[in-house]
Amino acid sequence: MTSSNILIIVIDALRADRVLNRQKTVNIPEIDQFAKEACVFSNAFSTTNTTDPAVTSIQTGRYPLSHGIINHGNRITNKEKQAIEQVEDLPMMLSDIGYRTGKFGRPLGRWHRRGFDIYPDPMEEGLAFDRTLSRKEKFQAWLTHIESSVGSSLDRIHPGIKTTMSDIYHKLTPEFLSQNHIRASIADNSSNQVLQNFQDFVQKEDPFYAFVHLMDTHTPYVAAADRVVSLLKENEYSVKRISGIEDKIPSSFTERIFSGSYPEIREKYYFPDGTPSSAIVDAHYDATVEQSDARIGRILDTLKNNDLYDDTITFILSDHGESLTEHGIYYDHHGLYDETTHVPLFIRSPEGVSDTVNELVQITDIAPTIESYIGAERLNTDGNSLLPAITGGQFTGYQHILAEEAHTTRRRVIRSDESKLIYSLNSETICRYCGIQHAQETELYNLTEDSGETTNIAAENSEEIDSLREFAEKKATKYQNDCPTTTSSEEKQYDDEEKIHEHLEALGYR
Ligand SMILES: [Zn+2]
């Protein structure tokens, strides 16, 4: 058994096409350099469209149906929680065999914390990257904002008034904190603290398992305005009119454009009535891809500066992608189209090869890869080890991959290299977020001719649908049977943690 260090970096909601075979001049030197030294999986897929079940798939090596977490955040039922409590995952196993275990960045629900020696607490300062702020940080940000608005310090305000302000603040917080500039102003300080924590963690003696979860590419896409402007100038973005899009753009950016700066952007990417086009949000997303890249550089530099890089197997991937405007899904991760399910996956092991693997693989393969790499096969996973691929051996991927949509609508996909069937699992086909039905209940796509999944050929292919569906259901039933038995009902009960999730979801932390 080798006691190599293990690092997983997950970039939340990063689309595969922003890093692999990209069309735009997105500047990601760190990932590009890493890719040169790594095994690049060009056909890697998530098991779902949302973070909680996806990260659970990464940590357990199991499909959502098999590990039990189908939904995300405040939609997760007691039944789901009861199931996952009975499933062992990577941090538990690695901790048990002597690894130090640490999570950095986005904190998640309670089962995600099992096995970790250190885990970011949403109510503590300095542990999360930039998305989940402590109450004290949020309040401080609010005060700073007021101070900058009124142009003077609030230090001499009567404490009673401050208490009242605090009360008001806690009533206003969802609306107020959804303002991007507040989040942005805190992002960098918090990130520095996380990097410091990461550095302290990796420097100690025993081998480590570190899981870094970056949130830049998740809404709201908080990006430096200068870089957004440059991207808009350097690239040809498509111009679409989407209602309500103004809310997705920081007011400071809009003000800058309308102050007369960059008339060419105003001309090209805004409609004559002043409405921004989709290009403005797309460019913000791209700028956050670059920000993630810079963070990855700092994380990898921490390893390099401490002579740990070549003693570490490093995974870079996303939990799911993001639909920017495709399929009528605007800047969120619903649906089972490739924009949301196709993820980048890079694995660099010190003795590995630099190669591109086009075989179909899934995020369930990470845990078995780690197990076979360190020679400690113990988890009951659904995935395959990718070790043969990353060491240059013979490797065959899947014929079909399976994934579940939950949280927004309940759907399932079975996808090969050539075709894709998506079907509804219940009669509730209206998207919970958008209030519309995004597509017909059954969708079949010929990916060879229609990689954008724009022409539904379900109507004329009922036989193919039947056989694909039967195959998918057989697989699903197997995974469902592997899921631990539960006695809880599907009803959900709110506890403090759910309330925090509810609150975060109201802030847009989906
Ligand atoms: Zn939707």
Side-chain angles (χ1 to χ4, degrees):
M1 192 175 109
T2 53
S3 54
S4 176
N5 302 306
I6 302 157
L7 169 62
I8 295 180
I9 302 175
V10 166
I11 308 139
D12 206 296
L14 174 63
R15 287 162 65 115
D17 71 355
R18 286 307 186 271
V19 287
L20 303 168
N21 307 316
R22 56 190 188 272
Q23 309 287 311
K24 294 194 169 65
T25 55
V26 179
N27 188 19
I28 48 169
E30 304 293 344
I31 293 175
D32 284 345
Q33 180 56 40
F34 184 83
K36 282 185 198 149
E37 306 164 14
C39 194
V40 180
F41 292 87
S42 65
N43 266 315
F45 285 82
S46 185
T47 56
T48 169
N49 64 312
T50 51
T51 300
D52 271 325
V55 170
T56 309
S57 281
I58 294 168
Q59 297 284 33
T60 60
R62 293 167 74 150
Y63 278 96
L65 290 169
S66 147
H67 63 57
I69 302 293
I70 312 283
N71 288 293
H72 170 81
N74 62 1
R75 301 285 285 188
I76 295 168
T77 64
N78 292 341
K79 194 179 178 66
E80 293 174 75
K81 288 180 194 164
Q82 197 183 20
I84 191 62
E85 288 305 328
Q86 303 169 67
V87 177
E88 188 179 29
D89 66 9
L90 269 179
M92 294 163 83
M93 187 271 274
L94 293 169
S95 173
D96 203 35
I97 61 173
Y99 273 77
R100 289 179 302 109
T101 50
K103 164 99 189 225
F104 303 88
R106 180 186 186 173
L108 292 166
R110 63 170 68 85
W111 71 91
H112 294 287
R113 299 173 195 166
R114 298 174 307 172
F116 278 109
D117 301 328
I118 61 169
Y119 200 92
D121 183 333
M123 303 311 267
E124 255 180 50
E125 287 181 64
L127 281 171
F129 258 101
D130 53 347
R131 297 302 313 277
T132 312
L133 309 174
S134 72
R135 282 185 155 231
K136 194 174 148 200
E137 281 175 306
K138 287 174 184 167
F139 185 52
Q140 197 53 52
W142 190 61
L143 289 180
T144 307
H145 177 69
I146 291 173
E147 282 179 344
S148 68
S149 305
V150 300
S152 69
S153 169
L154 295 170
D155 280 354
R156 279 171 292 168
I157 280 184
H158 189 276
I161 295 177
K162 269 197 173 173
T163 306
T164 308
M165 285 170 69
S166 174
D167 291 345
I168 294 168
Y169 159 76
H170 287 297
K171 292 202 176 86
L172 291 178
T173 183
E175 293 74 26
F176 186 77
L177 278 174
S178 65
Q179 291 176 34
N180 293 335
H181 61 275
I182 295 295
R183 293 178 179 184
S185 67
I186 300 155
D188 276 337
N189 290 339
S190 170
S191 304
N192 290 337
Q193 183 61 51
V194 177
L195 272 169
Q196 184 60 52
N197 294 341
F198 180 72
Q199 173 149 344
D200 294 346
F201 173 76
V202 299
Q203 277 176 328
K204 298 200 177 75
E205 286 275 301
D206 295 327
F208 65 78
Y209 172 63
F211 191 116
V212 178
H213 194 147
L214 305 176
M215 286 296 283
D216 301 75
T217 44
H218 193 288
T219 50
Y221 315 130
V222 181
D226 288 347
R227 191 55 201 147
V228 177
V229 166
S230 304
L231 282 162
L232 286 164
K233 286 181 178 171
E234 291 161 16
N235 293 285
E236 199 57 46
Y237 282 91
S238 65
V239 171
K240 295 180 197 163
R241 187 186 276 274
I242 293 161
S243 81
I245 204 173
E246 294 88 344
D247 299 346
K248 313 230 174 258
I249 299 161
S251 52
S252 55
F253 185 86
T254 309
E255 281 158 23
R256 188 186 288 211
I257 298 295
F258 282 87
S259 71
S261 315
Y262 319 113
E264 69 279 32
I265 288 176
R266 165 80 177 77
E267 175 77 15
K268 187 171 178 187
Y269 291 122
Y270 285 76
F271 294 101
D273 65 1
T275 310
S277 74
S278 57
I280 305 298
V281 187
D282 291 348
H284 274 80
Y285 180 81
D286 288 346
T288 66
V289 175
E290 297 188 339
Q291 279 169 206
S292 310
D293 183 73
R295 286 197 213 285
I296 287 169
R298 291 163 77 188
I299 290 158
L300 298 181
D301 280 349
T302 303
L303 294 188
K304 289 170 188 168
N305 296 339
N306 290 283
D307 285 333
L308 291 163
Y309 192 50
D310 283 328
D311 298 323
T312 304
I313 181 168
T314 303
F315 299 77
I316 298 179
L317 72 154
S318 60
D319 53 350
H320 52 74
E322 185 86 328
S323 195
L324 296 179
T325 55
E326 299 86 355
H327 313 286
I329 300 164
Y330 304 121
Y331 310 109
D332 214 324
H333 29 283
H334 325 165
L336 294 166
Y337 307 105
D338 280 8
E339 288 83 7
T340 292
T341 54
H342 186 198
V343 296
L345 170 64
F346 306 90
I347 307 176
R348 178 190 184 274
S349 78
E351 50 285 277
V353 293
S354 159
D355 198 4
T356 297
V357 175
N358 298 319
E359 296 281 310
L360 281 174
V361 301
Q362 282 202 269
I363 58 173
T364 41
D365 301 334
I366 310 286
T369 303
I370 290 171
E371 282 198 304
S372 59
Y373 185 71
I374 63 169
E377 283 157 47
R378 161 167 148 181
L379 301 178
N380 180 16
T381 70
D382 300 324
N384 290 334
S385 170
L386 305 176
L387 195 58
I390 62 180
T391 51
Q394 270 292 329
F395 175 75
T396 308
Y398 300 109
Q399 287 295 309
H400 294 89
I401 56 106
L402 188 77
E404 305 284 313
E405 179 178 8
H407 196 65
T408 35
T409 51
R410 188 74 182 90
R411 288 160 82 74
R412 182 167 292 154
V413 64
I414 185 98
R415 183 200 192 281
S416 68
D417 278 332
E418 295 84 32
S419 72
K420 180 184 232 180
L421 171 69
I422 304 172
Y423 56 96
S424 296
L425 295 171
N426 60 26
S427 56
E428 292 165 23
T429 53
I430 304 293
C431 174
R432 193 165 69 87
Y433 286 151
C434 307
I436 55 164
Q437 185 172 318
H438 285 298
Q440 286 166 289
E441 285 172 34
T442 304
E443 298 166 79
L444 183 70
Y445 297 103
N446 178 339
L447 299 178
T448 315
E449 290 169 8
D450 178 24
S451 61
E453 304 162 62
T454 54
T455 309
N456 182 6
I457 53 168
E460 58 268 35
N461 291 283
S462 61
E463 270 178 38
E464 186 180 353
I465 289 171
D466 290 345
S467 76
L468 273 172
R469 192 179 169 128
E470 193 186 322
F471 181 66
E473 287 303 297
K474 209 177 270 179
K475 271 170 93 82
T477 304
K478 181 202 173 300
Y479 298 129
Q480 244 155 354
N481 290 340
D482 289 344
C483 189
T485 314
T486 54
T487 52
S488 282
S489 74
E490 303 266 356
E491 290 290 300
K492 59 179 286 60
Q493 286 167 9
Y494 282 89
D495 61 16
D496 283 351
E497 193 163 312
E498 269 80 56
K499 283 181 193 141
I500 292 169
H501 269 296
E502 188 100 303
H503 179 67
L504 290 172
E505 186 169 324
L507 292 170
Y509 298 90
R510 290 169 181 172

